[in-house]
Amino acid sequence: MTQTDRADDEGVPPPPPPPAPSGGPGGPPRPELVDEKTAGRLGLAAIVGLLLVLGVAAGWIYVWIVLGIVVMIFLHELGHFATAKWTGMKVTEFFISFGPKIWSFRRGETEYGLKAIPAGAYVRIVGMNNLDEIDDPADEPRTYRQQSFPKRLLVVSAGSIMHMVQAWVLLVLAIGVFGIPGGSVTDPDSGDIEAFPVAAVVADSAAERAGFEDGDRIVAIDGEPVSAYGGDDLADIIRTHDVGDELTFTVERDGRERDLRAELGERPASAGGGEPGSVFLGVSSSTVYDNDAIGLGEAIVRSPGEMGGFIRESVAAIVGFFSPSGLENYAENVTRGGEDEPAPSGGGGTGGDEGNRMVSIVGAVRLAADVSDQGIGALLVFFFGINVFIGLFNMLPLLPLDGGHAAVAIYERIRSRRNRRYQVDMAKLMPLTYAVVLVLVVLGATALYLDIVNPINL
């Protein structure tokens, strides 16, 4: 009797033939894989579509700036990823953005991909602390918590190190290749003055009677180029004269130069910015410095001092912001919706005090677009400043920032003994960590609010 005959005799149906491999030739694709691939394609299409809409509606410079920020964030996480791999730690994920996954692929033990909420990026290293459970006990020797102090400190600091490397490259390119005002990020007023752009002309003033117009660029006074006056701005130059003096101003307008003869008048009481009755031209102006590139060699030599000075200024700004008076000022700024104090009318300057501000991603993109009007060098300096600030801010010794992990590693090193490895109980630090997260969320939300209701104007 055959096996089939016996099955029939016993009332048992014969077994079905084995199914074809899922998704392979001769078999239907698995629905869940189709759904995941479709979702990924739709997500990528949505991102590309949003970038196209942004470029068409606002300008392609905004698209390039957004992509530049994405690259900056990617390089930060690449620092963590590369050092973790180099030191033997197990990295299971490397994603741009957070939230629902829209596209990913796997290479070896690491999944790479893109998620839906553009709020940063992350690298997942197994076993970051005593609360981090791992799926396979065999991976314990490759966890972050089991590595030596130098390896742990390197990995958590690598993101900020990458920001500083980016900042250095951007600075060298800015001052060495493209040029920036004065050839310096710490002392731009040290360069030669190129022109005094006229932002506004005061009604019934000497400037209006002489024929000045908004947008004129003053390039010479009485035949002397403005660079001959050293670092003096236009107001300083005017104050060296008396009411009734006549000066010839050479201005650039529509690509051509012309001379305007003005008899200096008296400052009206409504003008502000000086003593009523003092000598007065009647224009609101700024100062533009020469943007001559200094060459790569000199830029490389000068860059350490430039970076050092800028880092000191940035540290002072961060300390000032988080001081009691700085936080009080920021709270007042948010309460009044970021409205500036009224600026004095007349020829004494433009714009009010922007107040104590943090800048959100929306504000950063908008400012970068404004800065780009001043040339590629100015845009590179803007990204230089962002990299320095994020690199420093990220190393504040507070969890969940990288500086908090560095502080924990240093504390564990201090408490450890030759034959006894000390590990911090992360559960005890979680309340403080949640408090820091809350503060960061509030700062981010209020910065976004200010950037929407009262954007910073350059």
Side-chain angles (χ1 to χ4, degrees), residues 136-147:
D136 186 356
D139 288 334
E140 181 62 30
R142 299 184 61 199
T143 60
Y144 168 87
R145 62 190 174 221
Q146 293 299 332
Q147 306 308 308

Side-chain angles (χ1 to χ4, degrees), residues 22-345:
S22 299
R30 294 191 304 184
E32 64 271 20
L33 289 182
V34 173
D35 291 342
E36 184 176 353
K37 291 180 179 179
T38 301
R41 293 191 187 102
L42 291 175
L44 287 176
I47 291 174
V48 172
L50 289 173
L51 290 176
L52 290 175
V53 170
L54 179 64
V56 172
W60 293 106
I61 184 62
Y62 285 91
V63 175
W64 289 112
I65 291 168
V66 169
L67 293 177
I69 292 174
V70 171
V71 170
M72 180 180 69
I73 295 171
F74 168 80
L75 291 175
H76 172 107
E77 296 303 329
L78 182 62
H80 293 308
F81 173 81
T83 53
K85 286 283 192 180
W86 181 65
T87 55
M89 301 181 194
K90 184 175 182 178
V91 182
T92 58
E93 294 183 16
F94 186 160
F95 274 86
I96 303 296
S97 300
F98 299 94
K101 184 194 309 179
I102 61 175
W103 172 76
S104 71
F105 65 94
R106 180 174 291 278
R107 289 290 183 272
E109 63 189 13
T110 307
E111 183 180 11
Y112 307 82
L114 183 67
K115 294 192 175 184
I117 303 175
Y122 72 92
V123 167
R124 186 178 300 282
I125 305 171
V126 300
M128 285 295 295
N129 52 64
N130 66 307
L131 301 180
D132 192 359
E133 297 181 358
I134 58 175
D135 298 329
D136 186 356
D139 288 334
E140 181 62 30
R142 299 184 61 199
T143 60
Y144 168 87
R145 62 190 174 221
Q146 293 299 332
Q147 306 308 308
S148 65
F149 168 71
K151 290 181 179 180
R152 284 179 288 140
L153 191 62
L154 172 63
V155 169
V156 296
S157 304
S160 288
I161 292 173
M162 286 294 287
H163 281 298
M164 294 304 173
V165 172
Q166 292 180 72
W168 180 80
V169 172
L170 292 169
L171 176 64
V172 169
L173 291 175
I175 66 178
V177 177
F178 297 98
I180 61 174
S184 172
V185 294
T186 55
D187 189 16
D189 297 349
S190 62
D192 291 333
I193 296 175
E194 179 182 288
F196 297 120
V198 174
V201 179
V202 178
D204 194 27
S205 65
E208 184 184 58
R209 290 188 290 271
F212 277 88
E213 296 181 4
D214 295 356
D216 285 347
R217 287 166 51 92
I218 302 173
V219 296
I221 301 174
D222 279 346
E224 291 284 345
V226 293
S227 59
Y229 290 90
D232 292 344
D233 59 23
L234 183 59
D236 294 330
I237 297 172
I238 297 301
R239 278 194 289 268
T240 64
H241 295 273
D242 298 320
V243 174
D245 286 352
E246 290 188 354
L247 300 176
T248 300
F249 296 88
T250 302
V251 302
E252 288 181 352
R253 182 185 301 168
D254 299 328
R256 300 177 61 184
E257 291 188 358
R258 64 189 67 197
D259 290 336
L260 302 177
R261 188 76 175 170
E263 181 180 338
L264 301 180
E266 295 183 356
R267 178 182 299 274
S270 60
E275 186 70 25
S278 60
V279 63
F280 188 64
L281 174 61
V283 298
S284 178
S285 70
S286 57
T287 304
V288 173
Y289 295 85
D290 287 336
N291 290 358
D292 293 335
I294 63 176
L296 280 176
E298 186 176 350
I300 292 173
V301 172
R302 186 186 295 183
S303 58
E306 289 285 318
M307 279 199 67
F310 193 86
I311 289 173
R312 287 192 295 272
E313 294 177 0
S314 299
V315 170
I318 293 174
V319 172
F321 179 87
F322 286 103
S323 67
S325 60
L327 292 174
E328 181 181 1
N329 182 275
Y330 183 71
E332 292 176 355
N333 199 9
V334 173
T335 301
R336 66 172 186 262
E339 294 180 359
D340 298 332
E341 297 295 333
S345 60

Side-chain angles (χ1 to χ4, degrees), residues 130 145-147 149 152 407-426 428-429:
N130 66 307
R145 62 190 174 221
Q146 293 299 332
Q147 306 308 308
F149 168 71
R152 284 179 288 140
V408 169
I410 294 172
Y411 180 73
E412 289 179 339
R413 173 66 172 175
I414 294 173
R415 291 289 306 271
S416 295
R417 298 295 179 265
R418 179 173 300 180
N419 298 322
R420 182 176 62 86
R421 169 79 177 274
Y422 178 84
Q423 285 191 342
V424 167
D425 183 2
M426 197 59 63
K428 297 180 179 179
L429 295 179

